[in-house]
Amino acid sequence: MGYTDQRFDVNLSILYTELPLLERPAAAAAAGFTAVELWWPWIETPTPAQDELDALKKALEDAGTQLVGLNFYAGQLPGPDRGAVSVPGEESDRFRANIEVAADFAASVGCKALNALYGNRVEGVDPAVQDELALENLVIAARAADRIGAILLIETLNKPESPLYPLVSAPSAIEVVDKVNEATGLGNAKFLLDLYHLAMNDEDLSEVIEKYAAKTGHVQIADKPGRGAPGTGELPLEDLLDQLKKAGYQGYVGLEYKAADAAASFDWLPAEARAAK
């Protein structure tokens, strides 16, 4: 058990950001990783030109890296936004325009997990109206994911850093997961269990794992405080990942932490353990 027994992937939207997008897969591969994940890379548009999509596909393939997680369009991220599914008007429209584009791209590179960030609460809009819109959009997204044999992920963020985001506890995200599955009958909506966000919310991480491992479709980690690499903070990440594995989780663990020098930040993980098994 331990770190050497996990399937890690590198989040290329938070690590290697000093490099142009198309150079990041090769950088991750040079460090020994074979799996990567991405936030939606085109924050200005939900529908990038086909040649841009093709260029990213080629960069992933040339590097020998498998994309294992992709966000749907989520607004300005990094930035003030936290998704679009529950935001009425233009942002919801942009999310819908993105659904098939993201799903088709994921299918083209064999990515089997699509993450839909819920979106912030909007001043002057009834939360119930936002939740109704979110469910409509998530049902469409779940069907698109199912069409390509993928899962739809619902993520908990943390209240200190995302004060307007309503899903700031494991149960709040699980409730949405259950509603989407009930509405579609597909069962492909899953929980994105981010140990950093949950720790920032002061949740009992062992209890969350025990309760929700079976509904978890993807895991992300960073240490707390600081959102740095494992070992830079106080979280017993190795033990928690062991617990997840014992609870039956067999998926990927995304390295979604901040580091001034990505390549130097992987010292906690032996080089021979970086290629995803």
Side-chain angles (χ1 to χ4, degrees):
M1 301 294 274
Y3 288 139
T4 56
D5 200 33
Q6 301 291 337
R7 297 165 78 201
F8 289 107
D9 73 84
V10 177
N11 186 308
L12 297 178
S13 298
I14 195 169
L15 289 165
Y16 293 113
T17 52
E18 71 279 4
L19 297 174
L21 173 67
L22 298 182
E23 292 177 24
R24 293 178 206 169
F33 292 94
T34 56
V36 296
E37 61 180 58
L38 280 166
W39 301 342
W40 183 248
W42 298 276
I43 54 177
E44 300 303 331
T45 177
T47 53
Q50 188 60 46
D51 62 348
E52 291 189 61
L53 294 159
D54 292 344
L56 178 56
K57 179 176 189 271
K58 184 175 187 302
L60 290 163
E61 289 171 351
D62 287 352
T65 50
Q66 174 63 53
L67 187 69
V68 299
L70 176 68
N71 282 11
F72 285 107
Y73 169 81
Q76 297 292 315
L77 182 77
D81 297 335
R82 296 291 184 273
V85 299
S86 67
V87 182
E90 191 181 343
E91 281 299 89
S92 171
D93 292 345
R94 286 161 79 90
F95 177 80
R96 287 201 187 182
N98 174 247
I99 290 173
E100 296 302 333
V101 176
D104 285 345
F105 179 76
S108 78
V109 294
C111 175
K112 298 294 186 188
L114 289 158
N115 183 28
L117 282 164
Y118 201 79
N120 288 328
R121 289 301 191 209
V122 179
E123 199 176 335
V125 179
D126 182 346
V129 169
Q130 282 197 257
D131 291 341
E132 192 178 332
L133 175 64
L135 185 58
E136 277 177 37
N137 281 333
L138 291 169
V139 163
I140 300 168
R143 290 185 177 133
D146 181 68
R147 172 175 68 77
I148 65 159
I151 57 172
L152 172 73
L153 297 167
I154 310 292
E155 182 174 9
T156 293
L157 299 183
N158 76 77
K159 200 166 181 65
E161 292 172 325
S162 303
L164 300 176
Y165 191 82
L167 308 184
V168 287
S169 71
S172 64
I174 292 290
E175 186 182 347
V176 175
V177 167
D178 290 344
K179 280 182 179 168
V180 174
N181 285 333
E182 193 180 335
T184 64
L186 296 170
N188 70 328
K190 302 280 185 181
F191 179 40
L192 196 168
L193 193 160
D194 184 310
L195 288 166
Y196 168 75
H197 288 310
L198 296 171
M200 287 287 289
N201 290 327
D202 294 323
E203 291 190 68
D204 182 327
L205 301 180
S206 288
E207 188 182 311
V208 169
I209 290 167
E210 194 178 315
K211 274 189 179 170
Y212 303 126
K215 293 186 177 186
T216 297
H218 190 64
V219 172
Q220 290 172 334
I221 62 169
D223 217 331
K224 167 190 177 248
R227 201 172 184 174
T232 58
E234 65 197 25
L235 292 182
L237 290 168
E238 197 161 15
D239 294 344
L240 292 164
L241 293 178
D242 279 349
Q243 189 190 339
L244 262 161
K245 196 138 198 165
K246 282 177 189 154
Y249 179 72
Q250 297 179 330
Y252 286 92
V253 177
L255 305 179
E256 197 186 49
Y257 62 74
K258 296 175 181 175
D261 181 345
S265 78
F266 299 126
D267 288 350
W268 56 275
L269 184 63
E272 63 274 11
R274 295 176 190 177
K277 297 180 281 294

